[in-house]
Amino acid sequence: MIWNDGLKIGVPLIDSEHKELCGRIDNLLAACSAGQGRAEIAQTVAFLQEYTVKHFSDEEKLQRSSGYPKCAEHKAMHEYFKAKVADLKASLEENGANVANVSETNYFLMNWLLNHIQKVDKELATYIKD
Ligand SMILES: [Fe+2]
């Protein structure tokens, strides 16, 4: 289970969206362990692509409304994630899901999300609360 309360940043809307994202990645990892990764991955990636549009825009709105000084920097990281997911999706479509692109996708999703929440989103939350 990726999600734990230590990942909460203290903004309920953002926390619930992060929990949803972590849950989807959990499902994908569980499917991979059960040998169903190749069947599950296209759906997970499509879901994430759609859901992160809303999620990132919610975070960016929060940044603008609080006058957060690192908006542009934070947005650039969101754009990086979107571009990388689009690349992974293209590889999955072009080559079919295989061990290499499934593990690359799992690794990227889990790592990026955990790092981003713990460092960048928590920094934003600290700014908002101060
Ligand atoms: Fe973020």
Side-chain angles (χ1 to χ4, degrees):
M1 179 81 184
I2 300 170
W3 177 259
N4 67 76
D5 283 349
L7 291 173
K8 278 189 181 170
I9 67 165
V11 180
L13 170 69
I14 304 300
D15 285 335
S16 78
E17 290 173 353
H18 284 159
K19 197 173 177 180
E20 175 72 23
L21 289 166
C22 287
R24 292 295 178 138
I25 298 171
D26 268 338
N27 289 345
L28 175 61
L29 298 179
C32 287
S33 305
Q36 303 295 319
R38 288 196 289 177
E40 184 70 29
I41 197 154
Q43 274 172 291
T44 303
V45 169
F47 170 84
L48 291 175
Q49 226 175 9
E50 200 184 305
Y51 193 78
T52 50
V53 172
K54 174 192 166 13
H55 170 59
F56 291 155
S57 118
D58 286 340
E59 270 188 13
E60 288 160 17
K61 257 183 242 161
L62 190 67
Q63 293 174 31
R64 285 194 299 273
S65 66
S66 64
Y68 188 54
K70 293 183 173 175
C71 284
E73 219 175 301
H74 197 138
K75 191 175 168 51
M77 293 180 212
H78 291 167
E79 294 306 320
Y80 171 78
F81 178 89
K82 287 187 202 170
K84 182 78 188 175
V85 169
D87 280 353
L88 291 165
K89 191 176 183 224
S91 160
L92 290 161
E93 281 166 3
E94 205 178 306
N95 310 308
N98 55 47
V99 175
N101 58 22
V102 171
S103 33
E104 189 192 354
T105 304
N106 288 348
Y107 181 81
F108 172 75
L109 293 175
M110 196 169 79
N111 245 298
W112 189 91
L113 188 64
L114 287 176
N115 260 304
H116 185 79
I117 294 175
Q118 284 168 325
K119 293 182 188 155
V120 187
D121 291 340
K122 279 200 175 161
E123 195 183 335
L124 164 65
T126 304
Y127 175 84
I128 293 170
K129 280 178 215 147
D130 281 347

